[in-house]
Amino acid sequence: MTQDPEFDRAMERVTAWLRAEKQLLIGGAWVPAVSGERVAAVNPADGSTLAHVARGGEADIDAAVAAARAAFDGGPWRRATPRDRQRLISRFAALVDEHYHELAILESLDLGVAYARSFGKRNRTVSHLDFYAAVAGGRNAGTRVEASTMPGRFGVVVEQPVGVVGAITPWNSPVMSALWKIGPVLATGCTMVLKPAEEAPLVALRLGELLVEAGLPDGVVNIVNGRGSIAGAALAAHPGVNKVAFTGSTDTAKSIITATTHNFARLSLELGGKSPNIVFADADLAAAAKGAIAAGFTNSGQICTAGTRLFVQHDVYDDFLAELRQQASRLTVGPGLEPGVDVGPLVSRRQQERVQGFLARAAAQGAEAVVGGGEVDPRLQSGCFIMPTVLGSITDDMEVYSEEVFGPVVVARPFADTDQVISMANDSRYGLAGGIWSRDIDTVNRVSFEVDAGIFWVNGYGLMDPAFPFGGTKHSGYGREGGLVQLEDYLTTKTIVHGTDL
Ligand code: NAD
């Protein structure tokens, strides 16, 4: 029992829900995998099994794509008006809001994230669905275009849904990863097969139930959990898929690009990052330190936009690290559902070992923990914990300086001036996000224009909004999530021409 009766009631519902079968959503029905295979969903805070989840393979992907194809090519969804779609999203948004405690608990259990963060995203999450509902109502209206060379001739340019979307998502933000794909699918009139990450498969299933409760027509959204190399690969290459919306690592994206050479599916890729967070000497250093802690350690650093390359102007480098040390020492590391926890475990033992490998190799190359680091509390040994760490004595050739770690590990380097820090920031294959802390408007303007990034924060880090497009450049991918521009990826343009020149 906690102080919050709503939390307690939600916890009881989640406990009961976890005991029920976890199947695949195909054509409006919950079904087992054709192979009968199931896989354990594991709580990374203590290694316990949360539930067993049906593990789909190629045959299940085939069935799900066929269901999505049928729903797209005929049936009620094809005839749904923008208003029908808008109302469906609104009903879904209301259910997501109503059941948010459960979703946040599930996210905490399955991913490990601190409950304060998972529940703290409630309003923002629902506002995304509100945004998709709002834009759904106005989509697909045609535009009359006068011919430029033939008097009296015109065309009607319409936007039509691109078709069946294969959506493949990562584990690090199960609620939003799924909604960033479901929202535009419903808003534009596409249909989809969603393949969530195996490390955190539960939230998508609960979202599927809420969609069905909201009145989702059969086959419009299908959900198939399964291995990336099998179910994910089958979905990306499937001849019935018109678009692949992928969020995940840059390496997996390469397989997906290759897979889509078979089906010519349109692609959007939201990939990894190694984002620069730049602190100038004239900044509000206490605020910048708070921002750097949030940028590096929220969600245990498992955020694609994490500010993991911290550049601090050398005049204030030592003072800034002292301030960071102070603030980092106040972070509570522990199981996500424990009250007061700031930093939960990593998602899995595999991810923990991966991050430990990065730390060991960084130490061997001469990097030193200048903030945090150290051993985790022995009481947390059964979980997948890593202490928040900032590494100093970094050199260009270090792996930890250039590769995405995806854990609570930040590298810090001093810089001399604006020219140098822009060049350091852009010396990366990634270009997802970044941030600057400075009170000087000229510095802010120059740095925010010249750093390669899809999103860049000024005197803050990580602020998102449904209306703000978000995505990457370079090896961080292409396409955007959020904002009106995202919908263009789910629409195809058709010109209907009136008249003849014969
Ligand atoms: P991942 O690439 O290992 O897996 C992502 C998804 O792809 C999973 O569903 C996985 O099962 C599937 N997959 C794996 N191999 C596949 C294959 N051969 N064919 C098709 N699908 C396959 O990534 P992850 O470890 O789950 O997530 C972490 C990565 O995601 C990080 O690099 C992070 O930066 C990135 N990410 C990016 C964003 C963004 O918006 N830019 C958001 C969140 C996470």
Side-chain angles (χ1 to χ4, degrees):
M1 290 289 277
T2 67
Q3 302 295 319
D4 179 354
E6 245 190 298
F7 176 93
D8 292 337
R9 279 194 296 275
M11 193 68 204
E12 274 171 31
R13 283 196 297 271
V14 167
T15 309
W17 184 82
L18 286 172
R19 281 197 287 268
E21 268 317 295
K22 300 281 158 292
Q23 301 190 314
L24 314 174
L25 178 62
I26 298 182
W30 292 97
V31 294
V34 170
S35 66
E37 255 193 275
R38 298 190 314 153
V39 61
V42 174
N43 181 347
D46 58 13
S48 62
T49 296
L50 294 165
H52 284 91
V53 176
R55 178 190 257 169
E58 270 180 50
D60 307 285
I61 290 291
D62 273 346
V65 173
R69 212 44 287 155
F72 185 75
D73 293 336
W77 188 242
R78 191 74 184 173
R79 294 186 299 277
T81 62
R83 183 162 184 268
D84 294 336
R85 297 201 302 270
Q86 181 177 47
R87 288 169 65 101
L88 172 64
I89 302 171
S90 294
R91 286 194 298 272
F92 179 48
L95 287 167
V96 166
D97 194 26
E98 185 186 331
H99 292 275
Y100 210 83
H101 284 84
E102 289 161 56
L103 292 167
I105 290 171
L106 273 179
E107 198 166 77
S108 267
L109 285 172
D110 212 8
L111 166 66
V113 57
Y115 182 75
R117 172 171 164 85
S118 56
F119 189 70
K121 291 187 296 181
R122 178 185 192 169
N123 284 341
R124 206 189 91 202
T125 303
V126 175
S127 71
H128 272 82
L129 289 174
D130 292 343
F131 178 82
Y132 289 122
V135 295
R139 295 311 299 182
N140 303 9
T143 312
R144 184 187 146 112
V145 178
E146 299 300 326
S148 62
T149 57
M150 298 167 288
R153 296 278 188 258
F154 66 92
V156 176
V157 179
V158 292
E159 288 174 325
Q160 296 187 313
V162 73
V164 173
V165 176
I168 302 175
T169 53
W171 39 261
N172 66 315
S173 181
V175 176
M176 266 322 294
S177 291
L179 296 184
W180 257 323
K181 313 278 190 247
I182 293 170
V185 159
L186 299 182
T188 54
C190 291
T191 62
M192 78 191 293
V193 177
L194 171 64
K195 208 299 285 171
E198 260 201 309
E199 291 86 343
L202 296 173
V203 163
L205 299 177
R206 187 70 189 110
L207 288 173
E209 290 176 354
L210 297 178
L211 273 167
V212 171
E213 194 178 333
L216 181 81
D218 294 350
V220 170
V221 176
N222 305 274
I223 303 174
V224 178
N225 276 303
R227 282 201 184 95
S229 56
I230 297 174
L235 182 58
H238 203 287
V241 166
N242 303 104
K243 169 186 165 61
V244 176
F246 173 70
T247 304
S249 64
T250 299
D251 284 343
T252 304
K254 290 179 187 164
S255 316
I256 293 202
I257 291 169
T258 307
T260 57
T261 58
H262 298 288
N263 57 7
F264 279 65
R266 193 191 283 196
L267 259 183
S268 50
L269 301 172
E270 297 289 346
L271 311 179
K274 189 80 184 175
S275 299
N277 186 19
I278 303 168
V279 182
F280 277 83
D282 70 342
D284 174 343
L285 295 183
K290 198 170 167 206
I293 296 272
F297 304 142
T298 303
N299 216 27
S300 302
Q302 302 164 117
I303 299 190
C304 51
T305 52
T308 50
R309 285 185 302 147
L310 177 63
F311 297 116
V312 184
Q313 201 158 23
H314 64 56
D315 320 11
V316 295
Y317 185 78
D318 291 336
D319 289 350
F320 189 76
L321 288 192
E323 174 69 31
L324 265 190
R325 217 169 285 125
Q326 270 289 326
Q327 295 198 18
S329 68
R330 293 198 288 270
L331 292 175
T332 304
V333 177
L337 282 182
E338 234 170 58
V341 162
D342 303 296
V343 180
L346 301 193
V347 68
S348 63
R349 188 67 69 204
R350 191 165 143 252
Q351 188 66 10
Q352 181 196 30
E353 287 169 359
R354 183 171 178 271
V355 175
Q356 284 166 337
F358 269 106
L359 288 171
R361 291 189 295 278
Q365 285 189 296
E368 287 168 339
V370 287
V371 174
E375 293 297 309
V376 296
D377 187 325
R379 135 195 114 83
L380 300 176
Q381 291 297 347
S382 59
C384 309
F385 293 90
I386 299 266
M387 294 306 284
T389 305
V390 179
L391 297 174
S393 308
I394 298 294
T395 51
D396 283 351
D397 57 330
M398 284 183 186
E399 172 202 47
V400 75
Y401 181 57
S402 54
E403 295 301 318
E404 182 184 46
V405 176
F406 228 54
V409 179
V410 170
V411 292
R413 289 189 91 172
F415 68 90
D417 57 25
T418 308
D419 282 340
Q420 189 195 16
V421 79
I422 290 174
S423 130
M424 288 166 93
N426 287 341
D427 183 21
S428 168
R429 69 183 167 123
Y430 295 111
L432 186 58
I436 178 173
W437 301 82
S438 168
R439 293 182 166 108
D440 182 83
I441 189 69
D442 292 332
T443 307
V444 164
N445 281 344
R446 184 164 166 223
V447 172
S448 45
F449 274 88
E450 292 188 22
V451 170
D452 303 331
I455 190 160
F456 200 78
W457 291 287
V458 176
N459 293 321
Y461 202 98
L463 192 68
M464 305 279 266
D465 182 275
F468 296 164
F470 157 71
T473 62
K474 304 200 290 194
H475 286 205
S476 295
Y478 43 79
R480 292 292 178 266
E481 306 214 286
L484 290 174
V485 70
Q486 182 188 14
L487 300 184
E488 287 167 20
D489 267 344
Y490 289 75
L491 293 165
T492 182
T493 302
K494 180 191 280 179
T495 306
I496 302 166
V497 181
H498 288 236
T500 173
D501 59 359
L502 294 178

